[in-house]
Structure formats: C-alpha cells, structure tokens
Amino acid sequence: CTSWLSRTISFFSLTHLLLRETVFHHSSITVVVGLIVPAHLNGDMYLAVILNSCVHVLMYSHYACALLKMSTPWKSLLTSMQLLQFVLIATQSAMSLSRGPGCGKPTYAKWTLIAYMASMVGLFGHFFYKSYIAVKPGTALPGSKEGTGKKSD
C-alpha cells in the first residue's frame, strides 16, 4: 500500500512539474514538432516559424538588455505577443481544417497544432492573468518598483 501511495504521489508531483508553463512548453514542443515535421509541410509552417522567430528575437533581446541593466519598451508586450502568436497559428490550422483534407498539412497535423496552441493559450493566459490582471494591491507588478503596483519604466 505504501509503495502504491509513494508512486501515486511521485506521479502527481511529476505531473505538476511538467504542467508548469516553462517546463511543459519546452519539453512538449519537441514532441509536437516531431509529430508534424514528417508530414512534409512545405509552406504550411511559414506563419508559425516567422511568428515564433519574431517573438523569440524580441524575448532574447529583452533578456540581453536586462543583463546589461537596460530597460526595454516591449517587455510588457512579450506575453501578449506570445498569446497572439498561438491564436494566429491555431486559426491558420482551423481555417485549413475547415477547407478539407486537400488544404495544407495532413488532418492529424492540423488537429495537433490546434490542440497544442489551445494548451499554450491556457498556460500563457494563466500566467498573463496572474502577472498582469490579478495583481493584489501592495504587490509589485513585473517591471515595477517593489510594493507600489506602478510601472517603473
């Protein structure tokens, strides 16, 4: 009985760890790409690649500026841009799906992207809500002076 209980607790703690925003995103994207790339997508992935590249250039530029103690005007927009990216990629796949199997990537790839983008909207949307909407009075917003709730930029 204790072995079963120990394994159950271990399973749920691992699940909790994997479902955290960053760990889930970075571990699951490899699986999703591995499922979709063999479909020989040709031009179907241009939108996703371009959007993701733009977001990551801005994100890593922000990280580099932060290391150099420089502020970036786009910091507060990063999560919003990621959410928009996920919605646009899911919308492209849904539009392709609605036009039938002859349009774009294979049906399984369209459903995979729609489901994965929905999970990303849920996870990043939850982060956005916690970080920018549900901030309690007296607590600091990301990028704000401690305890003021006012942006320092």
Side-chain angles (χ1 to χ4, degrees), residues 89-152:
I89 293 168
T91 300
Q92 178 195 31
S93 291
M95 289 172 64
S96 180
L97 186 64
S98 73
R99 290 186 168 88
C103 181
K105 51 193 157 280
T107 302
Y108 84 89
K110 296 170 194 173
W111 280 114
T112 300
L113 271 179
I114 291 168
Y116 187 68
M117 292 302 126
S119 74
M120 291 295 101
V121 167
L123 289 171
F124 282 72
H126 181 253
F127 171 80
F128 185 86
Y129 177 79
K130 284 188 326 185
S131 299
Y132 299 106
I133 296 173
V135 178
K136 296 177 183 164
T139 59
L141 288 170
S144 70
K145 294 180 182 173
E146 192 64 38
T148 64
K150 295 182 181 174
K151 295 294 257 180
S152 61

Side-chain angles (χ1 to χ4, degrees), residues 18-136:
L18 290 177
L19 291 179
R20 291 180 58 208
E21 291 92 355
T22 304
V23 174
F24 176 74
H25 172 65
H26 289 109
S27 62
S28 61
I29 191 63
T30 304
V31 174
V32 170
V33 169
L35 289 171
I36 294 174
V37 165
H40 304 290
L41 300 171
N42 299 326
D44 286 350
M45 291 303 290
Y46 282 140
L47 178 67
V49 169
I50 288 169
L51 291 174
N52 194 49
S53 296
C54 290
V55 166
H56 279 80
V57 165
L58 290 172
M59 191 168 49
Y60 291 119
S61 296
H62 165 71
Y63 294 153
C65 288
L67 282 172
L68 298 170
K69 307 287 188 217
M70 299 166 53
S71 71
T72 54
W74 64 88
K75 177 187 177 190
S76 61
L77 297 174
L78 286 173
T79 307
S80 296
M81 289 188 306
Q82 288 173 305
L83 287 165
L84 179 62
Q85 166 193 339
F86 301 143
V87 168
L88 289 173
I89 293 168
T91 300
Q92 178 195 31
S93 291
M95 289 172 64
S96 180
L97 186 64
S98 73
R99 290 186 168 88
C103 181
K105 51 193 157 280
T107 302
Y108 84 89
K110 296 170 194 173
W111 280 114
T112 300
L113 271 179
I114 291 168
Y116 187 68
M117 292 302 126
S119 74
M120 291 295 101
V121 167
L123 289 171
F124 282 72
H126 181 253
F127 171 80
F128 185 86
Y129 177 79
K130 284 188 326 185
S131 299
Y132 299 106
I133 296 173
V135 178
K136 296 177 183 164

